[in-house]
């Protein structure tokens, strides 16, 4: 039976790195690379023999398309990577309601639906990797919907890691700090934006695959995120939020 990996957000910085690493180091026959950008998907399929590009908008028909493909091909889902994500930085009251809906969908509902859809095709040893964020460690004003959505994904992930352990299906939640990808704006009103402790997608993905194959439920790459995780456990939330708002005041 064909062993597949499913990666959402395959065309983004972290998604592309997952494809590169999985091709090199995992026992996988085919990678279902899910994304919206046809040119980037085509380039990935040209570069990697194992890539099967699936062009779809996850906020639209994405889940039913993947579900139908699973039904018709009946592969073993060895690795599912919920990586697609969207962010909004700014005042909540200025957020378009369509963006609120899209963010909840892409960052919360779609990962849950995709795990649910893929589970019947998983066997002992299968792995789920959910890309959350260090933003899940505390509420972030002016990044409110994003940090709340990543906390949802972290809690879902950790709960499922316990529920699915008896089936030997391993669920890992990845919580990086700032990662050097296209998701981060580089300037605001002509001013360069600085991201403390920013790390490469390579570092995030190498650690995520290592932690996932060791059955760990959390993967926190980089000193900045590790420190932040500890700090958020021992510091009053109100104080952390004040410090966060002070740190980002130039950019909002
Ligand atoms: N960069 C960071 O600092 C950072 C830190 C912590 C966690 N993360 C998380 O890491 C994950 C990957 O992000 P990245 O840093 O690699 O950013 P990225 O390069 O912007 O990639 C985001 C990916 O999500 C996809 N996506 C967004 N909305 C979609 C939709 N409606 N349907 C299908 N695909 C959609 C994007 O596809 P399109 O190209 O079609 O838009 C893109 O492939 C995200 O979950 C993000 O929240 C990032």
């Amino acid at each position: 039976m064909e062993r597949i990996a499913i990666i959402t957000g395959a065309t983004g910085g972290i998604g592309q790195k997952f494809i590169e690493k999985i091709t090199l180091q995992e026992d996988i026959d085919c990678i279902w690379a899910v994304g919206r950008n046809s040119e980037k998907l085509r380039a990935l399929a040209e570069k990697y023999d194992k890539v099967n590009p699936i062009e779809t908008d996850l906020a639209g028909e994405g889940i039913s398309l993947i579900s139908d493909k699973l039904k018709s091909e009946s592969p073993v889902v060895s690795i599912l990577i919920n990586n697609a994500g969207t962010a909004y930085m700014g005042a909540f009251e200025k957020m378009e309601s369509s963006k609120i809906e899209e963010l909840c969908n892409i960052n919360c509902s779609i990962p849950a639906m995709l795990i649910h859809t893929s589970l019947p095709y998983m066997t002992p040893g299968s792995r789920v990797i959910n890309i959350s964020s260090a933003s899940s460690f505390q509420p972030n004003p002016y990044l409110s919907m994003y940090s709340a959505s990543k906390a949802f994904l972290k809690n879902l992930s950790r709960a499922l890691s316990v529920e699915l352990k008896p089936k030997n299906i391993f669920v890992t939640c990845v919580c990086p700090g700032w990662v050097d990808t296209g998701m981060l704006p580089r300037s605001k009103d002509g001013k360069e934006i600085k991201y403390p402790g920013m790390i490469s997608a390579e570092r995030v993905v190498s650690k995520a695959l290592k932690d996932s194959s060791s059955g760990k439920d959390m993967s926190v790459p980089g000193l900045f995120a590790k420190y932040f995780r500890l700090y958020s456990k021992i510091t009053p939330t109100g104080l952390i939020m004040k410090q966060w708002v002070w740190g980002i005041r130039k950019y909002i």
Side-chain angles (χ1 to χ4, degrees):
M1 216 182 282
E2 191 174 50
R3 300 177 65 78
I4 67 161
I6 303 176
I7 306 181
T8 66
T11 53
I14 293 177
Q16 293 198 30
K17 196 48 81 176
F18 266 117
I19 291 179
E20 183 190 317
K21 293 271 170 198
I22 284 178
T23 305
L24 289 174
Q25 67 190 57
E26 298 283 346
D27 180 20
I28 292 288
D29 302 310
C30 184
I31 300 172
W32 291 10
V34 184
R36 294 181 294 186
N37 185 317
S38 49
E39 268 176 41
K40 285 187 184 172
L41 284 175
R42 202 175 316 119
L44 282 170
E46 277 165 19
K47 191 167 177 190
Y48 302 103
D49 288 346
K50 290 184 181 176
V51 164
N52 177 357
I54 300 180
E55 188 186 333
T56 187
D57 187 342
L58 287 168
E61 82 297 357
I63 291 290
S64 56
L65 197 144
I66 294 168
S67 169
D68 289 348
K69 203 168 152 58
L70 285 170
K71 273 185 205 138
S72 70
E73 299 182 23
S74 249
V76 169
V77 177
S78 283
I79 308 177
L80 165 64
I81 303 175
N82 278 307
N83 168 65
T86 185
Y88 172 86
M89 189 155 189
F92 176 74
E93 64 177 352
K94 294 201 176 139
M95 215 173 159
E96 300 277 346
S97 51
S98 58
K99 184 66 193 175
I100 295 179
E101 198 180 351
E102 188 208 2
L103 196 149
C104 288
N105 222 343
I106 297 298
N107 293 10
C108 303
S109 306
I110 298 292
M113 296 284 287
L114 210 43
I115 296 169
H116 196 257
T117 303
S118 302
L119 268 175
Y121 302 91
M122 292 189 170
T123 55
S126 288
R127 289 138 66 192
V128 179
I129 299 176
N130 293 316
I131 311 302
S132 175
S133 164
S135 283
S136 67
F137 299 149
Q138 70 295 303
N140 289 139
Y142 302 99
L143 195 61
S144 56
M145 287 298 300
Y146 182 77
S147 64
S149 71
K150 292 300 185 181
F152 169 96
L153 189 57
K154 184 185 72 182
N155 283 1
L156 176 73
S157 197
R158 298 200 80 176
L160 293 186
S161 77
V162 172
E163 278 190 41
L164 298 175
K165 206 169 187 173
K167 290 177 181 267
N168 273 327
I169 294 172
F170 302 101
V171 185
T172 304
C173 178
V174 181
C175 294
W178 305 113
V179 188
D180 191 2
T181 71
M183 181 174 265
L184 302 181
R186 300 302 153 137
S187 64
K188 167 94 178 166
D189 304 329
K191 272 183 262 165
E192 187 197 351
I193 303 180
K194 295 203 173 74
Y195 294 101
M198 186 161 74
I199 59 174
S200 66
E202 159 92 33
R203 205 153 150 207
V204 176
V205 169
S206 297
K207 183 161 173 56
L209 287 172
K210 191 167 165 229
D211 288 340
S212 149
S213 54
S214 324
K216 290 190 180 164
D217 73 331
M218 287 289 285
S219 179
V220 183
L223 268 182
F224 178 78
K226 279 192 180 68
Y227 165 78
F228 214 63
R229 186 179 182 204
L230 178 66
Y231 186 68
S232 65
K233 282 185 180 170
I234 58 175
T235 311
T237 305
L239 177 60
I240 298 182
M241 291 197 291
K242 267 190 197 150
Q243 290 169 334
W244 162 260
V245 172
W246 187 83
I248 60 158
R249 70 197 181 287
K250 286 184 282 185
Y251 310 123
I252 51 175

